[in-house]
């Protein structure tokens, strides 16, 4: 398994870091088999697998439940787990207790928190307790209500400057990496050059040190709207839809199950039931 220092080395060597989200055992196995560098158990699971309309409804128990399944599927891949909405904004001691529980129960290698400001204290506190932390700046979906929608962030010089300073503060606080979501690619380039720790972009252009995408977006698995920044690398949804329709049709017309899907009883046993009649 790669470690936090391997990711620093990868950045220093200009080797891109590949991250993908996963929410269950089979998706984690596929990711590990493909050799991705990091798996993110994202709170996006609320939207892509639990059917909520935002990540705000996701709980700590939801995150642990899914992260445990991912861990079972990918034992040798660095696993980052999102701390969900509201789980790290109150009492910092409570945030640490929650973080410790998430690490111990799920087997996560690192936790991710959104934002800077007060959250910088949380990053410091967790890192001080020995928990690797990934920061997340730009479009921070847990603040969708405050941001007023899933919009590109850091488009003005002032906002961009603020984001650059926040990224430096996250590094200072001990973050091992920073996710940059939905920001202009030029800003990603500036931030990535300023930081020693890797940036991992989503909707942030090719200049990030790594990329992350949501499993269900890049495989078009699900009927949700796919963000503009995501690319469809396969269409699993189409395969799944065709498969289920084929199954339904075969059952209706009686072509499934066929003889090769059936179990047989020996003639003499069958004869005994009927008593020869
Ligand atoms: N399926 C999925 N993929 C994601 O990448 C993702 C989630 N869900 N849920 C949590 C957050 C929310 N994210 C999102 C969701 C939507 C847009 C979006 O619709 N963006 C607009 C651009 C808006 C603008 O122009 O300012 C787009 O057209 O893609 C962006 C990020 C990223 N994360
Ligand atoms: C979009 C990524 C970065 C994320 O936080 C998630 O999947 O929850
Ligand atoms: Mg998230």
């Amino acid at each position: 398994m790669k470690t936090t220092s391997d990711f620093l080395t990868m950045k220093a060597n200009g080797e891109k870091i590949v991250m993908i989200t996963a929410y269950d055992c089979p998706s984690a196995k596929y990711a590990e088999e493909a050799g991705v560098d990091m798996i993110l158990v994202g709170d996006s699971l609320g939207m892509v697998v639990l059917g909520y309309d935002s990540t705000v409804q996701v709980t700590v128990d939801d995150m642990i439940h899914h992260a445990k399944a991912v861990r079972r599927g990918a034992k040798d891949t660095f696993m980052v787990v999102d701390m969900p909405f509201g789980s790290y904004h109150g009492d910092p001691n409570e945030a640490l207790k929650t973080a410790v529980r998430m690490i111990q129960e799920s087997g996560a290698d690192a936790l991710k928190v959104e934002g800077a400001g007060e959250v910088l204290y949380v990053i410091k506190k967790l890192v001080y307790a020995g928990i690797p932390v990934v920061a997340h700046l730009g479009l921070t979906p847990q603040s969708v209500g405050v941001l007023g929608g899933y919009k590109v962030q850091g488009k003005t010089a002032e906002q961009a400057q603020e984001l650059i300073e926040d990224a430096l503060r996250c590094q200072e606080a001990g973050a091992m990496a920073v996710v940059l979501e939905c920001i202009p690619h030029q800003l990603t380039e500036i931030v990535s050059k300023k930081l020693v720790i890797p940036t991992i972009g989503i909707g942030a252009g090719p200049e990030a040190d790594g990329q992350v995408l949501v499993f269900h977006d890049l495989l078009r698995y699900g009927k949700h709207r796919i963000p503009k920044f995501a690319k469809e690398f396969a269409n699993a949804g189409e395969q799944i839809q065709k498969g289920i329709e084929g199954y339904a049709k075969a059952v209706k017309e009686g072509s499934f199950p066929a003889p090769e899907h059936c179990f047989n009883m020996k003639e003499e046993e069958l004869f005994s039931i009927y008593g020869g009649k």
Side-chain angles (χ1 to χ4, degrees), residues 52-123:
Y52 295 134
D53 63 358
S54 86
T55 61
V56 168
Q57 293 96 327
V58 177
T59 66
V60 170
D61 287 342
D62 289 335
M63 293 311 302
I64 292 173
H65 179 75
H66 285 268
K68 283 165 83 173
V70 168
R71 184 81 292 172
R72 289 191 286 268
K75 297 184 173 67
D76 298 321
T77 305
F78 194 91
M79 180 175 86
V80 182
V81 179
D82 266 348
M83 289 193 79
F85 175 80
S87 68
Y88 54 97
H89 290 91
D91 175 6
N93 291 317
E94 205 56 42
L96 176 60
K97 263 169 79 178
T98 303
V100 167
R101 195 183 141 220
M102 288 181 72
I103 290 278
Q104 289 184 326
E105 291 184 22
S106 74
D109 297 300
L111 298 178
K112 180 162 74 61
V113 293
E114 294 182 7
E118 301 274 315
V119 174
L120 291 165
Y121 299 114
V122 176
I123 297 176

Side-chain angles (χ1 to χ4, degrees), residues 36-264:
V36 306
D37 300 305
M38 290 179 173
I39 291 175
L40 172 65
V41 185
D43 58 351
S44 52
L45 75 87
M47 297 171 80
V48 293
V49 308
L50 300 181
Y52 295 134
D53 63 358
S54 86
T55 61
V56 168
Q57 293 96 327
V58 177
T59 66
V60 170
D61 287 342
D62 289 335
M63 293 311 302
I64 292 173
H65 179 75
H66 285 268
K68 283 165 83 173
V70 168
R71 184 81 292 172
R72 289 191 286 268
K75 297 184 173 67
D76 298 321
T77 305
F78 194 91
M79 180 175 86
V80 182
V81 179
D82 266 348
M83 289 193 79
F85 175 80
S87 68
Y88 54 97
H89 290 91
D91 175 6
N93 291 317
E94 205 56 42
L96 176 60
K97 263 169 79 178
T98 303
V100 167
R101 195 183 141 220
M102 288 181 72
I103 290 278
Q104 289 184 326
E105 291 184 22
S106 74
D109 297 300
L111 298 178
K112 180 162 74 61
V113 293
E114 294 182 7
E118 301 274 315
V119 174
L120 291 165
Y121 299 114
V122 176
I123 297 176
K124 259 189 210 154
K125 205 166 176 75
L126 267 51
V127 173
Y128 181 65
I131 300 171
V133 177
V134 175
H136 182 158
L137 299 173
L139 171 50
T140 47
Q142 290 172 14
S143 307
V144 62
V146 173
L147 297 175
Y150 300 114
K151 295 177 190 154
V152 179
Q153 302 294 308
K155 288 208 280 195
T156 67
E158 194 183 341
Q159 283 183 354
Q161 191 63 47
E162 202 175 313
L163 191 143
I164 293 163
E165 280 159 23
D166 280 346
L168 285 164
R169 289 187 194 111
C170 287
Q171 173 171 278
E172 186 102 342
M176 57 165 282
V178 184
V179 165
L180 299 175
E181 178 165 344
C182 265
I183 60 168
H185 72 99
Q186 299 97 326
L187 178 53
T188 302
E189 182 176 14
I190 298 170
V191 174
S192 303
K193 281 185 173 159
K194 281 199 185 269
L195 297 187
V196 176
I197 57 171
T199 59
I200 301 175
I202 172 164
E207 293 91 344
D209 302 305
Q211 297 291 329
V212 59
L213 276 182
V214 166
F215 188 93
H216 293 61
D217 294 346
L218 75 95
L219 300 174
R220 194 173 273 279
Y221 175 19
K223 297 181 183 287
H224 58 290
R225 211 189 123 263
I226 293 170
K228 177 177 178 259
F229 56 71
K231 177 175 169 174
E232 177 186 318
F233 288 88
N235 192 334
E238 196 176 273
Q239 295 284 105
I240 291 167
Q241 193 68 58
K242 276 190 192 149
I244 298 170
E245 285 166 8
Y247 165 63
K249 184 164 175 276
V251 171
K252 293 281 189 198
E253 67 189 22
S255 63
F256 176 83
E260 65 266 31
H261 310 117
C262 296
F263 304 106
N264 251 308

